[in-house]
Amino acid sequence: MQHGGDVYTEGILKGKELIDFSSNINPLGVPKGFIDNLNEGILNITRYPDLQYRQLRADLKEYINNVEILFGDGDRSLELVHEEDFILGNGAAEIIDLTISSFKSIMIITPSFGEYYESAEKWGVDIVCVSLNEDMEYDYEAIAKNLHSVEAIIIGNPNNPNGGIIDKEKFLPIIERCEKEGKKIIIDEAFVEFTGKHKDSFIYQLKDYKSLFIIRAITKFYAMPGIRFGYGISSDGEFIDKLKEKQNPWNINAFAELAVKYVLKDRNYINKSIKWIKVEREYLKGELKKLDIIEKVFDTHGNYILCKLKNIDCDRLYEYSLERGIVIRKCNNYIGLNKSYVRFAIKDRLNNDKLLQVLKKINI
Amino acid sequence: MQHGGDVYTEGILKGKELIDFSSNINPLGVPKGFIDNLNEGILNITRYPDLQYRQLRADLKEYINNVEILFGDGDRSLELVHEEDFILGNGAAEIIDLTISSFKSIMIITPSFGEYYESAEKWGVDIVCVSLNEDMEYDYEAIAKNLHSVEAIIIGNPNNPNGGIIDKEKFLPIIERCEKEGKKIIIDEAFVEFTGKHKDSFIYQLKDYKSLFIIRAITKFYAMPGIRFGYGISSDGEFIDKLKEKQNPWNINAFAELAVKYVLKDRNYINKSIKWIKVEREYLKGELKKLDIIEKVFDTHGNYILCKLKNIDCDRLYEYSLERGIVIRKCNNYIGLNKSYVRFAIKDRLNNDKLLQVLKKINI
């Protein structure tokens, strides 16, 4: 299993401070609502969680149905989802693995999050890869053309490592076809809050299409990868139940429950995060474009930027940055990418500038 | 899936305070070392855990190898286990499920923890049930006689719901045979710290027998069911690796890592807990024996007591206790038990006396 720059091997376990540009986490840090209510968490850990996680489901429903209020676009509470539409995971990793393992064949868009492939291989699921086009955009024609050979498709919105999102208009015919043919579309929206436009999400389409299954997490936008919480949403109750049967009891820990309860309603945090990402995404994209070692900066709606290098490969840039206290993400282990590709997380201005300073000074 | 009295349905979600005698958790509560170091946990949740959990494995190794020092029986550090002997689970539930699912057939001693059976059924594993004898002790002859028909056996030490432990001398020939015939013995030691005699554990035999696989948790003795952490130990590296392949990445949350780091070396907590359980186990056993509604109190080495009722069934006793603010564990959903059986957790003197007061006053 390969994942980004290993900040433990190079940093923490050696007692070295590193700035981690390999992991895409909101730099605003743990939302205050979580820290303020830690005592409730401590009380809760001395008992088993609710086997049915009733409070947790209610909190998630509130979050999704109040998306427009929370993300500052009106005061309408919507009826997009019900409590029974959710399946809860010990991180999105569990949900990805559960869904993929339930099919005989799956289409994976490449490059994308390595766990899709790992999981499919692990469970002997046949894999059909469909590449992004050269601008790292979805190739809807190729997707449609290959649909006949799979039971399901998994697709990022935004995609990792490039940050491209799904064009709803172009994708809708594919959904319609899957709906008719009983295929499933797994949309990984782990980073969707960063787009800043909640209409980019397919939560609005869930009610109308049983074929849709959305994966979300509090990992990235709410800066809590260590808390381990992700979830799936679908209006296909039978499918949700089928997946649940394979889960272990009490798979969500009490602190993850606490986080969901207090963090997902933190309008102040959401507001500040959206303001930050809109400014810094444009800033870092613009500055990276000016660098001698960058051949291309790919368009992104996430909190990370994929770049094609020139005159240097990712191994050298990785070592060079590491010596200067910065961990970047080499992308050569993404299917379809080679040593010319790296990904940078978007951080706060101070750290973005530190990265830029390091990258500017490199001698090619 | 059925588990004990549902304190959520009857209590928490209705805003009612209940004393939970259905769940066997150390009443000394969350060890101080955890609370004192919460800030470290908060820092850690903003990054992904170490994929290899190196610190966590080192902490577990220290715990097992220092068992005699920690449990107040000398100052010898032993070499019982290595860091690579561990497999880490999101609660012992994950480890139980992983191991059981890796066999085609398994022997389950009954009655025992319901998850063994649930998990075997879920994965289509053939089940051979072997009953405890009428005193709720292990029937080693029956175990040996049925061994030929299974790939593995899972057995509690102490067993749940009765609290009986394995007689090492009588069990050793069974281990020897499994070792020769390539069968596995899964020993669930989730409650073993409560026996107060660390030699009861099979950690001393791990090095000599690859067939042994021990399951432990911080759930019960360290009073942290909500933190979700359990682990398996075996000197059979190939078996450990085979199980690991099926796991999801980052399956242990940052607060569980923190707990393992600070709680397992808390000699003061361990010492106080052993003192408490030795006194209260004898006290509650003795007092229960005096009650009119109790036909038999089974011998226990755990922090819970199985009783056979007379002149009342578990449903009535459950309702009666619930009306008085106490949740007990009905045992009729354990294989081999019926409505005459209930289980009581052992709590502190104050609560044990509250339970006894309620049980004394019942009108049969």
mmCIF file of all heavy atoms in Angstrom, chain B residues 192-221:
data_model
loop_
_atom_site.group_PDB
_atom_site.id
_atom_site.type_symbol
_atom_site.label_atom_id
_atom_site.label_comp_id
_atom_site.label_asym_id
_atom_site.label_seq_id
_atom_site.Cartn_x
_atom_site.Cartn_y
_atom_site.Cartn_z
ATOM 1 N N VAL B 192 -9.014 -10.776 30.659
ATOM 2 C CA VAL B 192 -8.033 -11.556 31.441
ATOM 3 C C VAL B 192 -7.384 -10.757 32.561
ATOM 4 O O VAL B 192 -7.037 -11.315 33.610
ATOM 5 C CB VAL B 192 -6.959 -12.190 30.516
ATOM 6 C CG1 VAL B 192 -5.889 -11.171 30.135
ATOM 7 C CG2 VAL B 192 -6.342 -13.419 31.172
ATOM 8 N N GLU B 193 -7.238 -9.441 32.386
ATOM 9 C CA GLU B 193 -6.604 -8.649 33.441
ATOM 10 C C GLU B 193 -7.397 -8.712 34.747
ATOM 11 O O GLU B 193 -6.824 -8.552 35.822
ATOM 12 C CB GLU B 193 -6.421 -7.187 33.007
ATOM 13 C CG GLU B 193 -5.262 -6.956 32.025
ATOM 14 C CD GLU B 193 -5.706 -6.915 30.585
ATOM 15 O OE1 GLU B 193 -6.806 -7.435 30.270
ATOM 16 O OE2 GLU B 193 -4.962 -6.353 29.752
ATOM 17 N N PHE B 194 -8.690 -8.930 34.662
ATOM 18 C CA PHE B 194 -9.530 -8.956 35.866
ATOM 19 C C PHE B 194 -9.281 -10.192 36.745
ATOM 20 O O PHE B 194 -9.666 -10.201 37.903
ATOM 21 C CB PHE B 194 -11.019 -8.932 35.505
ATOM 22 C CG PHE B 194 -11.498 -7.610 34.962
ATOM 23 C CD1 PHE B 194 -11.861 -7.475 33.630
ATOM 24 C CD2 PHE B 194 -11.596 -6.492 35.794
ATOM 25 C CE1 PHE B 194 -12.315 -6.258 33.126
ATOM 26 C CE2 PHE B 194 -12.050 -5.276 35.292
ATOM 27 C CZ PHE B 194 -12.402 -5.163 33.960
ATOM 28 N N THR B 195 -8.671 -11.242 36.179
ATOM 29 C CA THR B 195 -8.469 -12.435 37.010
ATOM 30 C C THR B 195 -7.532 -12.098 38.162
ATOM 31 O O THR B 195 -7.581 -12.737 39.209
ATOM 32 C CB THR B 195 -7.855 -13.621 36.214
ATOM 33 O OG1 THR B 195 -6.484 -13.341 35.941
ATOM 34 C CG2 THR B 195 -8.609 -13.889 34.935
ATOM 35 N N GLY B 196 -6.668 -11.090 37.940
ATOM 36 C CA GLY B 196 -5.732 -10.697 38.988
ATOM 37 C C GLY B 196 -4.509 -11.603 39.048
ATOM 38 O O GLY B 196 -3.595 -11.361 39.822
ATOM 39 N N LYS B 197 -4.512 -12.654 38.217
ATOM 40 C CA LYS B 197 -3.342 -13.547 38.176
ATOM 41 C C LYS B 197 -2.852 -13.599 36.735
ATOM 42 O O LYS B 197 -3.441 -14.289 35.890
ATOM 43 C CB LYS B 197 -3.731 -14.941 38.660
ATOM 44 C CG LYS B 197 -3.959 -15.004 40.177
ATOM 45 C CD LYS B 197 -4.478 -16.378 40.572
ATOM 46 C CE LYS B 197 -5.938 -16.518 40.152
ATOM 47 N NZ LYS B 197 -6.493 -17.852 40.284
ATOM 48 N N HIS B 198 -1.772 -12.846 36.467
ATOM 49 C CA HIS B 198 -1.352 -12.712 35.073
ATOM 50 C C HIS B 198 -0.899 -14.034 34.479
ATOM 51 O O HIS B 198 -0.877 -14.212 33.273
ATOM 52 C CB HIS B 198 -0.268 -11.650 34.948
ATOM 53 C CG HIS B 198 0.884 -11.871 35.859
ATOM 54 N ND1 HIS B 198 1.876 -12.757 35.549
ATOM 55 C CD2 HIS B 198 1.172 -11.357 37.072
ATOM 56 C CE1 HIS B 198 2.750 -12.772 36.546
ATOM 57 N NE2 HIS B 198 2.348 -11.933 37.490
ATOM 58 N N LYS B 199 -0.570 -15.001 35.320
ATOM 59 C CA LYS B 199 -0.163 -16.318 34.798
ATOM 60 C C LYS B 199 -1.352 -17.077 34.183
ATOM 61 O O LYS B 199 -1.160 -18.096 33.524
ATOM 62 C CB LYS B 199 0.484 -17.149 35.918
ATOM 63 C CG LYS B 199 1.864 -16.629 36.346
ATOM 64 C CD LYS B 199 2.994 -17.431 35.708
ATOM 65 C CE LYS B 199 4.345 -16.727 35.778
ATOM 66 N NZ LYS B 199 5.055 -16.887 37.032
ATOM 67 N N ASP B 200 -2.566 -16.610 34.448
ATOM 68 C CA ASP B 200 -3.735 -17.200 33.797
ATOM 69 C C ASP B 200 -3.712 -16.996 32.289
ATOM 70 O O ASP B 200 -4.345 -17.732 31.537
ATOM 71 C CB ASP B 200 -5.036 -16.562 34.341
ATOM 72 C CG ASP B 200 -5.350 -17.020 35.763
ATOM 73 O OD1 ASP B 200 -4.806 -18.058 36.184
ATOM 74 O OD2 ASP B 200 -6.143 -16.330 36.439
ATOM 75 N N SER B 201 -2.996 -15.963 31.857
ATOM 76 C CA SER B 201 -2.977 -15.638 30.433
ATOM 77 C C SER B 201 -2.084 -16.589 29.654
ATOM 78 O O SER B 201 -1.122 -17.145 30.195
ATOM 79 C CB SER B 201 -2.471 -14.206 30.246
ATOM 80 O OG SER B 201 -2.169 -13.980 28.879
ATOM 81 N N PHE B 202 -2.390 -16.744 28.375
ATOM 82 C CA PHE B 202 -1.570 -17.599 27.518
ATOM 83 C C PHE B 202 -0.449 -16.832 26.819
ATOM 84 O O PHE B 202 0.184 -17.369 25.918
ATOM 85 C CB PHE B 202 -2.461 -18.347 26.516
ATOM 86 C CG PHE B 202 -3.128 -19.540 27.133
ATOM 87 C CD1 PHE B 202 -4.305 -19.392 27.862
ATOM 88 C CD2 PHE B 202 -2.560 -20.808 27.027
ATOM 89 C CE1 PHE B 202 -4.907 -20.495 28.464
ATOM 90 C CE2 PHE B 202 -3.160 -21.907 27.620
ATOM 91 C CZ PHE B 202 -4.333 -21.757 28.345
ATOM 92 N N ILE B 203 -0.208 -15.588 27.232
ATOM 93 C CA ILE B 203 0.917 -14.860 26.626
ATOM 94 C C ILE B 203 2.234 -15.588 26.888
ATOM 95 O O ILE B 203 3.168 -15.469 26.110
ATOM 96 C CB ILE B 203 1.022 -13.390 27.135
ATOM 97 C CG1 ILE B 203 0.983 -13.325 28.665
ATOM 98 C CG2 ILE B 203 -0.053 -12.526 26.519
ATOM 99 C CD1 ILE B 203 1.264 -11.935 29.221
ATOM 100 N N TYR B 204 2.290 -16.362 27.975
ATOM 101 C CA TYR B 204 3.514 -17.108 28.293
ATOM 102 C C TYR B 204 3.748 -18.268 27.317
ATOM 103 O O TYR B 204 4.853 -18.770 27.207
ATOM 104 C CB TYR B 204 3.448 -17.655 29.727
ATOM 105 C CG TYR B 204 3.566 -16.583 30.769
ATOM 106 C CD1 TYR B 204 2.430 -15.934 31.268
ATOM 107 C CD2 TYR B 204 4.809 -16.187 31.242
ATOM 108 C CE1 TYR B 204 2.532 -14.937 32.219
ATOM 109 C CE2 TYR B 204 4.926 -15.188 32.197
ATOM 110 C CZ TYR B 204 3.787 -14.567 32.686
ATOM 111 O OH TYR B 204 3.902 -13.581 33.613
ATOM 112 N N GLN B 205 2.697 -18.710 26.650
ATOM 113 C CA GLN B 205 2.809 -19.854 25.739
ATOM 114 C C GLN B 205 2.982 -19.435 24.275
ATOM 115 O O GLN B 205 3.256 -20.268 23.419
ATOM 116 C CB GLN B 205 1.564 -20.736 25.876
ATOM 117 C CG GLN B 205 1.578 -21.685 27.073
ATOM 118 C CD GLN B 205 1.441 -20.973 28.405
ATOM 119 O OE1 GLN B 205 0.617 -20.077 28.559
ATOM 120 N NE2 GLN B 205 2.259 -21.344 29.387
ATOM 121 N N LEU B 206 2.801 -18.123 23.994
ATOM 122 C CA LEU B 206 2.775 -17.661 22.603
ATOM 123 C C LEU B 206 4.024 -18.061 21.815
ATOM 124 O O LEU B 206 3.927 -18.501 20.667
ATOM 125 C CB LEU B 206 2.640 -16.133 22.562
ATOM 126 C CG LEU B 206 1.226 -15.556 22.638
ATOM 127 C CD1 LEU B 206 1.297 -14.047 22.730
ATOM 128 C CD2 LEU B 206 0.394 -15.978 21.435
ATOM 129 N N LYS B 207 5.178 -17.875 22.439
ATOM 130 C CA LYS B 207 6.445 -18.133 21.736
ATOM 131 C C LYS B 207 6.575 -19.587 21.298
ATOM 132 O O LYS B 207 7.131 -19.880 20.251
ATOM 133 C CB LYS B 207 7.615 -17.799 22.681
ATOM 134 C CG LYS B 207 8.248 -16.465 22.387
ATOM 135 C CD LYS B 207 9.657 -16.345 22.938
ATOM 136 C CE LYS B 207 9.783 -16.775 24.386
ATOM 137 N NZ LYS B 207 10.965 -16.185 25.039
ATOM 138 N N ASP B 208 6.039 -20.482 22.131
ATOM 139 C CA ASP B 208 6.226 -21.915 21.878
ATOM 140 C C ASP B 208 5.197 -22.508 20.925
ATOM 141 O O ASP B 208 5.402 -23.604 20.406
ATOM 142 C CB ASP B 208 6.172 -22.693 23.204
ATOM 143 C CG ASP B 208 7.314 -22.308 24.120
ATOM 144 O OD1 ASP B 208 8.372 -21.898 23.592
ATOM 145 O OD2 ASP B 208 7.154 -22.394 25.347
ATOM 146 N N TYR B 209 4.091 -21.809 20.741
ATOM 147 C CA TYR B 209 3.019 -22.379 19.926
ATOM 148 C C TYR B 209 2.520 -21.381 18.885
ATOM 149 O O TYR B 209 1.834 -20.420 19.224
ATOM 150 C CB TYR B 209 1.845 -22.826 20.808
ATOM 151 C CG TYR B 209 2.220 -23.881 21.814
ATOM 152 C CD1 TYR B 209 2.480 -23.555 23.142
ATOM 153 C CD2 TYR B 209 2.337 -25.217 21.423
ATOM 154 C CE1 TYR B 209 2.830 -24.527 24.057
ATOM 155 C CE2 TYR B 209 2.689 -26.202 22.344
ATOM 156 C CZ TYR B 209 2.940 -25.844 23.657
ATOM 157 O OH TYR B 209 3.295 -26.803 24.558
ATOM 158 N N LYS B 210 2.851 -21.667 17.630
ATOM 159 C CA LYS B 210 2.359 -20.821 16.539
ATOM 160 C C LYS B 210 0.846 -20.950 16.376
ATOM 161 O O LYS B 210 0.206 -20.117 15.751
ATOM 162 C CB LYS B 210 3.028 -21.225 15.235
ATOM 163 C CG LYS B 210 4.435 -20.661 15.053
ATOM 164 C CD LYS B 210 4.888 -20.893 13.622
ATOM 165 C CE LYS B 210 6.117 -20.049 13.309
ATOM 166 N NZ LYS B 210 6.481 -20.166 11.889
ATOM 167 N N SER B 211 0.305 -22.015 16.913
ATOM 168 C CA SER B 211 -1.137 -22.241 16.775
ATOM 169 C C SER B 211 -1.954 -21.270 17.630
ATOM 170 O O SER B 211 -3.134 -21.074 17.383
ATOM 171 C CB SER B 211 -1.485 -23.677 17.188
ATOM 172 O OG SER B 211 -0.937 -23.943 18.467
ATOM 173 N N LEU B 212 -1.302 -20.639 18.600
ATOM 174 C CA LEU B 212 -2.034 -19.736 19.506
ATOM 175 C C LEU B 212 -2.197 -18.347 18.912
ATOM 176 O O LEU B 212 -1.273 -17.791 18.320
ATOM 177 C CB LEU B 212 -1.308 -19.615 20.844
ATOM 178 C CG LEU B 212 -1.369 -20.795 21.804
ATOM 179 C CD1 LEU B 212 -0.607 -20.452 23.081
ATOM 180 C CD2 LEU B 212 -2.816 -21.156 22.137
ATOM 181 N N PHE B 213 -3.371 -17.801 19.117
ATOM 182 C CA PHE B 213 -3.652 -16.420 18.712
ATOM 183 C C PHE B 213 -4.491 -15.817 19.835
ATOM 184 O O PHE B 213 -5.582 -16.301 20.123
ATOM 185 C CB PHE B 213 -4.421 -16.414 17.391
ATOM 186 C CG PHE B 213 -4.721 -15.036 16.871
ATOM 187 C CD1 PHE B 213 -3.897 -14.446 15.910
ATOM 188 C CD2 PHE B 213 -5.830 -14.314 17.326
ATOM 189 C CE1 PHE B 213 -4.171 -13.175 15.420
ATOM 190 C CE2 PHE B 213 -6.102 -13.045 16.843
ATOM 191 C CZ PHE B 213 -5.274 -12.479 15.882
ATOM 192 N N ILE B 214 -3.948 -14.806 20.498
ATOM 193 C CA ILE B 214 -4.641 -14.221 21.647
ATOM 194 C C ILE B 214 -5.289 -12.891 21.256
ATOM 195 O O ILE B 214 -4.682 -12.075 20.561
ATOM 196 C CB ILE B 214 -3.650 -14.000 22.813
ATOM 197 C CG1 ILE B 214 -3.177 -15.356 23.344
ATOM 198 C CG2 ILE B 214 -4.295 -13.177 23.932
ATOM 199 C CD1 ILE B 214 -2.148 -15.254 24.451
ATOM 200 N N ILE B 215 -6.519 -12.707 21.691
ATOM 201 C CA ILE B 215 -7.215 -11.435 21.466
ATOM 202 C C ILE B 215 -7.282 -10.663 22.778
ATOM 203 O O ILE B 215 -7.660 -11.211 23.811
ATOM 204 C CB ILE B 215 -8.632 -11.669 20.914
ATOM 205 C CG1 ILE B 215 -8.553 -12.375 19.553
ATOM 206 C CG2 ILE B 215 -9.384 -10.346 20.794
ATOM 207 C CD1 ILE B 215 -9.910 -12.733 18.968
ATOM 208 N N ARG B 216 -6.890 -9.414 22.738
ATOM 209 C CA ARG B 216 -6.944 -8.539 23.905
ATOM 210 C C ARG B 216 -7.637 -7.237 23.523
ATOM 211 O O ARG B 216 -7.864 -6.956 22.350
ATOM 212 C CB ARG B 216 -5.518 -8.210 24.386
ATOM 213 C CG ARG B 216 -4.745 -9.383 24.979
ATOM 214 C CD ARG B 216 -5.111 -9.574 26.440
ATOM 215 N NE ARG B 216 -4.215 -10.482 27.130
ATOM 216 C CZ ARG B 216 -3.320 -10.110 28.049
ATOM 217 N NH1 ARG B 216 -3.174 -8.818 28.364
ATOM 218 N NH2 ARG B 216 -2.568 -11.001 28.659
ATOM 219 N N ALA B 217 -7.931 -6.413 24.522
ATOM 220 C CA ALA B 217 -8.550 -5.113 24.252
ATOM 221 C C ALA B 217 -8.274 -4.181 25.422
ATOM 222 O O ALA B 217 -7.878 -4.629 26.498
ATOM 223 C CB ALA B 217 -10.048 -5.273 24.046
ATOM 224 N N ILE B 218 -8.460 -2.885 25.201
ATOM 225 C CA ILE B 218 -8.380 -1.967 26.341
ATOM 226 C C ILE B 218 -9.785 -1.588 26.803
ATOM 227 O O ILE B 218 -9.982 -0.768 27.679
ATOM 228 C CB ILE B 218 -7.551 -0.705 26.032
ATOM 229 C CG1 ILE B 218 -8.168 0.101 24.893
ATOM 230 C CG2 ILE B 218 -6.120 -1.073 25.680
ATOM 231 C CD1 ILE B 218 -7.514 1.466 24.733
ATOM 232 N N THR B 219 -10.767 -2.248 26.195
ATOM 233 C CA THR B 219 -12.171 -1.960 26.412
ATOM 234 C C THR B 219 -12.626 -2.102 27.858
ATOM 235 O O THR B 219 -13.286 -1.216 28.403
ATOM 236 C CB THR B 219 -13.014 -2.931 25.559
ATOM 237 O OG1 THR B 219 -12.539 -2.848 24.221
ATOM 238 C CG2 THR B 219 -14.479 -2.605 25.637
ATOM 239 N N LYS B 220 -12.306 -3.247 28.467
ATOM 240 C CA LYS B 220 -12.949 -3.632 29.715
ATOM 241 C C LYS B 220 -12.144 -3.176 30.922
ATOM 242 O O LYS B 220 -12.627 -2.420 31.751
ATOM 243 C CB LYS B 220 -13.090 -5.161 29.761
ATOM 244 C CG LYS B 220 -13.548 -5.781 28.471
ATOM 245 C CD LYS B 220 -15.012 -5.526 28.208
ATOM 246 C CE LYS B 220 -15.454 -6.289 26.969
ATOM 247 N NZ LYS B 220 -16.873 -6.125 26.699
ATOM 248 N N PHE B 221 -10.905 -3.659 31.020
ATOM 249 C CA PHE B 221 -10.099 -3.382 32.203
ATOM 250 C C PHE B 221 -9.730 -1.905 32.265
ATOM 251 O O PHE B 221 -9.652 -1.324 33.349
ATOM 252 C CB PHE B 221 -8.840 -4.250 32.187
ATOM 253 C CG PHE B 221 -8.067 -4.233 33.468
ATOM 254 C CD1 PHE B 221 -8.511 -4.948 34.577
ATOM 255 C CD2 PHE B 221 -6.886 -3.517 33.588
ATOM 256 C CE1 PHE B 221 -7.798 -4.946 35.774
ATOM 257 C CE2 PHE B 221 -6.161 -3.510 34.775
ATOM 258 C CZ PHE B 221 -6.621 -4.215 35.870
#
